[in-house]
Amino acid sequence: MNRLKYKNNDEMPILGLGTWKSAAGEVYVAVKEAIKIGYRHIDCAAIYGNEKEIGQALSEVLSEGIVKREELWITSKLWNNAHGKANVVPALKQTLADLQLDYLDLYLIHWPVAFKPDVVGATKADDYLSLEEQPVADTWLGMEEAVKLGLSKNIGVSNFSVTKLKALMEVATIKPELNQVELHPYFQQNELVKYCQDNGIHVMAYSPLGSSDRPAGLKKEDEPILLEDKAIEAIAKKKGISIAQTILAWIAQRNVSVIPKSVNPARLKQNLEAAEIALTKEEMEQMAALNINRRYVDGKFWEVPGGPYTIASVWDEE
Ligand code: A2P
């Protein structure tokens, strides 16, 4: 499998296992199965509510000798209520305790959105802190501290626009190594991928398969179903692979890391195998033609009456 290299010479397998929406009772089995069949990269986050269960699976595969810690790439993310320099290391220590690990390979600021510390799910304006009240640059100091303490080998961000990345690059002593964003054939992120790749920042694609298992509140009635796309189906049929594999191969071939979520053994296997599939130049172009700039995770949930965030302000879009 192709690996993306970091400035400290760490290497991250380009395809990993996503764990957002992986339910309690399922994620333990999925992570163990994934590692047994060859996954070496697991994407986690405190807010997914399943890090303890993932930690149980990790501790077992490590103690059973199925894999060594240094062969695994483990990412997690700082939740919105732990922004601010002083809050990062305690939040990371909790994640490490839950995952039963001594260090992470990568720790990300989950969203450029800040909550007050006692709020887990913000529902009203008073639950939020604006980025003027709680600047990203201050939170980043805590992220840098995490590297200095050896708690995470690398640090980065998630859901950052080019505008926000540029601002962070100007103040960061340790530059962000990666930006994890929604990316799939219907939302190709060409400008962001170009900025990142030109500036030594890796990109990781979440919701690569369209996350059709999202909670109903995050769905819209008219949304196109990525895994039923006819043009992708035609490419897949011709190659004798699945639609999901075609999408994953296309993302990886852009040198973008990708973290499809599955809790199903057969789909875990086919997703892993997708990293070894090559698309022709023509197939890459056919995939590129499918962009409709359609987000499935649009950030509207951060908009509350009188609150400091809007969809436009989160993404820095008109
Ligand atoms: P399951 O976990 O039952 O396999 P995303 O990674 O974009 O969030 O998408 C995850 C959704 O896609 C889940 O519903 C997952 O279901 C499903 N999925 C994962 N891999 C495949 C695949 N190879 N083919 C079809 N559906 C898949």
Side-chain angles (χ1 to χ4, degrees):
M1 181 182 298
N2 189 14
R3 302 164 85 86
L4 297 180
K5 201 158 183 179
Y6 282 66
K7 294 186 195 80
N8 65 357
N9 287 328
D10 281 354
E11 291 186 6
M12 178 179 77
I14 199 153
L15 186 138
L17 175 68
T19 62
W20 176 39
K21 315 174 256 74
S22 294
E26 290 181 338
V27 72
Y28 163 82
V29 180
V31 169
K32 279 198 92 171
E33 171 69 13
I35 291 173
K36 275 188 190 147
I37 66 170
Y39 280 78
R40 292 293 177 263
H41 169 177
I42 315 283
D43 182 77
C44 314
I47 195 60
Y48 301 162
N50 54 14
E51 288 194 324
K52 277 197 177 150
E53 202 173 314
I54 295 171
Q56 185 60 35
L58 292 177
S59 112
E60 288 177 17
V61 290
L62 290 168
S63 68
E64 288 163 15
I66 294 168
V67 72
K68 296 195 192 76
R69 173 64 187 94
E70 58 271 25
E71 293 166 343
L72 287 176
W73 184 278
I74 311 291
T75 301
S76 184
K77 312 187 194 84
L78 179 83
W79 187 233
N80 299 350
N81 65 354
H83 279 229
K85 181 176 184 249
N87 299 322
V88 176
V89 165
L92 172 51
K93 283 186 172 166
Q94 182 61 54
T95 271
L96 288 171
D98 289 346
L99 291 172
Q100 303 192 38
L101 298 175
D102 301 328
Y103 69 91
L104 292 179
D105 296 280
L106 181 62
Y107 197 44
L108 307 177
I109 296 180
H110 204 148
W111 283 90
V113 170
F115 297 169
K116 291 185 175 163
D118 54 341
V119 174
V120 176
T123 54
K124 56 186 189 306
D126 190 47
D127 291 338
Y128 287 89
L129 294 167
S130 70
L131 292 183
E132 287 72 43
E133 293 168 305
Q134 178 50 74
V136 169
D138 174 59
T139 302
W140 193 252
L141 293 173
M143 300 293 282
E144 293 178 337
E145 182 70 15
V147 175
K148 286 176 201 143
L149 293 172
L151 300 174
S152 185
K153 298 208 165 185
N154 300 284
I155 48 176
V157 295
S158 181
N159 295 300
F160 270 47
S161 65
V162 170
T163 305
K164 288 192 177 72
L165 272 176
K166 281 183 180 165
L168 179 56
M169 289 289 271
E170 274 180 23
V171 297
T173 306
I174 302 174
K175 305 290 180 208
E177 291 272 355
L178 177 139
N179 188 17
Q180 183 182 119
V181 292
E182 177 175 350
L183 189 153
H184 46 70
Y186 292 164
F187 195 69
Q188 300 198 2
Q189 297 267 29
N190 295 328
E191 187 202 346
L192 183 124
V193 169
K194 178 161 184 3
Y195 171 78
C196 287
Q197 293 185 339
D198 286 350
N199 287 277
I201 303 169
H202 294 304
V203 179
M204 193 185 289
Y206 75 69
S207 298
L209 305 176
S211 289
S212 57
D213 55 344
R214 268 167 297 141
L218 297 188
K219 286 183 146 184
K220 297 206 175 66
E221 271 179 18
D222 65 335
E223 64 183 38
I225 302 171
L226 181 61
L227 287 176
E228 294 177 3
D229 186 278
K230 293 290 169 216
I232 306 176
E233 188 179 28
I235 299 174
K237 274 206 172 132
K238 197 177 68 186
K239 297 182 84 69
I241 59 176
S242 72
I243 294 179
Q245 286 180 312
T246 311
I247 295 169
L248 299 174
W250 167 76
I251 295 175
Q253 209 160 316
R254 297 176 78 195
N255 281 323
V256 169
S257 176
V258 62
I259 45 164
K261 170 265 175 185
S262 183
V263 292
N264 171 288
R267 290 191 285 272
L268 283 170
K269 185 166 180 293
Q270 63 154 286
N271 293 349
L272 182 66
E273 287 168 358
E276 312 304 332
I277 297 170
L279 302 192
T280 63
K281 187 164 175 283
E282 190 192 0
E283 289 161 350
M284 290 298 286
E285 283 165 9
Q286 287 166 347
M287 294 294 286
L290 301 177
N291 195 16
I292 50 172
N293 270 325
R294 173 83 189 213
R295 288 182 195 275
Y296 287 114
V297 181
D298 66 7
K300 190 163 172 55
F301 34 85
W302 307 132
E303 270 190 10
V304 294
Y309 299 94
T310 62
I311 294 188
S313 78
V314 169
W315 305 122
D316 296 301
E317 285 168 1
E318 291 303 306

